[in-house]
Amino acid sequence: SQQGEEDPQALSIQEGENATMNCSYKTSINNLQWYRQNSGRGLVHLILIRSNEREKHSGRLRVTLDTSKKSSSLLITASRAADTASYFCVPKGGFKTIFGAGTRLFVKA
Amino acid sequence: EPEVTQTPSHQVTQMGQEVILRCVPISNHLYFYWYRQILGQKVEFLVSFYNNEISEKSEIFDDQFSVERPDGSNFTLKIRSTKLEDSAMYFCASSLVGGLTDTQYFGPGTRLTVL
């Protein structure tokens, strides 16, 4: 299956702390993407990391990719209440975009 | 910033009725998608559409579903005879590039309630 599996299922932190979410997948990939979904709303594309990249930054986001372990991590630094959302990794080995169950992040003000 | 829009935001229908969910993708995008999310569950891929034809569909997308791009701006999902289990949020998305490196932009969704 091309689906990613996010871990933990849920994460609760204080505002200002860092949040780390992990993703594991089973197939070989061209790239891996992270999306965010605020409660019941549409998804927002956050970042794409290619299979030949090991780390990528975008603002307060830092993504790592280890293709030998078939895993990725998303780090959100200095979290804010507005970061409260579900986060999904999408390993792209084929054309379909398949979403897993996600990590539900709750940032307490 | 350009965005994907969807109408209506909430649709209530009786079981067996036909519904059409509408989407206006970002204007220069070429690839279009529909997803659904049953309350509390995963976002599920339904169909992708490019060059006026379906490029991929999931097993959920059976004969009761159809998609159309009737003009240069709208992208619609029709459900022919709705069932109770069709109640869900339906999300439209579009991307400039398709395939492996697509970055999909999602609309806010239409909540479909089938009674």
Side-chain angles (χ1 to χ4, degrees):
Chain A
S1 164
Q2 194 184 293
Q3 180 181 300
E5 289 188 20
E6 297 87 355
D7 176 70
Q9 289 185 332
L11 180 60
S12 181
I13 59 173
Q14 291 290 139
E15 206 168 28
E17 293 180 342
N18 295 343
T20 300
M21 288 158 268
N22 301 298
C23 167
S24 61
Y25 58 91
K26 293 190 171 120
T27 60
S28 58
I29 61 170
N30 173 278
N31 64 81
L32 186 139
Q33 302 179 28
W34 284 89
Y35 282 81
R36 181 188 77 220
Q37 182 183 31
N38 291 86
S39 180
R41 298 196 52 81
L43 290 93
V44 175
H45 184 270
L46 295 176
I47 198 164
L48 181 155
I49 184 166
R50 298 182 188 276
S51 60
N52 60 354
E53 297 176 305
R54 290 296 165 257
E55 189 170 309
K56 197 162 182 180
H57 297 252
S58 176
R60 292 183 297 112
L61 306 181
R62 174 180 163 247
V63 169
T64 64
L65 179 64
D66 186 335
T67 52
S68 67
K69 293 181 180 174
K70 290 189 166 56
S71 67
S72 174
S73 68
L74 171 67
L75 168 69
I76 304 174
T77 60
S79 62
R80 304 166 182 167
D83 295 327
T84 293
S86 291
Y87 292 81
F88 302 90
C89 70
V90 179
K92 291 284 288 191
F95 288 179
K96 280 188 194 170
T97 295
I98 309 292
F99 292 93
T103 291
R104 288 191 310 278
L105 173 66
F106 181 63
V107 182
K108 293 177 277 190
Chain B
E1 187 175 324
E3 57 183 21
V4 176
T5 59
Q6 290 184 243
T7 54
S9 56
H10 191 187
Q11 173 92 47
V12 181
T13 190
Q14 294 291 325
M15 190 169 56
Q17 295 295 303
E18 174 182 288
V19 294
I20 297 177
L21 309 183
R22 291 184 165 79
C23 169
V24 178
I26 293 172
S27 61
N28 64 336
H29 283 188
L30 302 174
Y31 297 80
F32 314 108
Y33 314 84
W34 282 101
Y35 295 82
R36 80 171 184 193
Q37 186 175 33
I38 295 169
L39 187 64
Q41 297 188 24
K42 297 177 190 176
V43 175
E44 299 174 290
F45 169 80
L46 292 178
V47 66
S48 59
F49 191 86
Y50 169 71
N51 200 25
N52 273 322
E53 57 184 36
I54 291 172
S55 44
E56 286 213 67
K57 61 182 182 179
S58 71
E59 51 281 358
I60 301 168
F61 194 88
D62 60 22
D63 291 344
Q64 69 160 153
F65 292 94
S66 62
V67 290
E68 195 179 27
R69 189 152 160 83
D71 53 43
S73 58
N74 290 282
F75 180 51
T76 62
L77 174 69
K78 183 191 291 186
I79 309 175
R80 252 178 281 283
S81 177
T82 50
K83 304 171 191 163
L84 294 176
E85 53 266 36
D86 294 328
S87 293
M89 281 288 283
Y90 288 81
F91 295 104
C92 171
S94 68
S95 64
L96 179 61
V97 174
L100 291 168
T101 56
D102 59 333
T103 295
Q104 295 184 25
Y105 292 80
F106 282 74
T110 291
R111 179 170 299 285
L112 176 64
T113 301
V114 182
L115 302 176

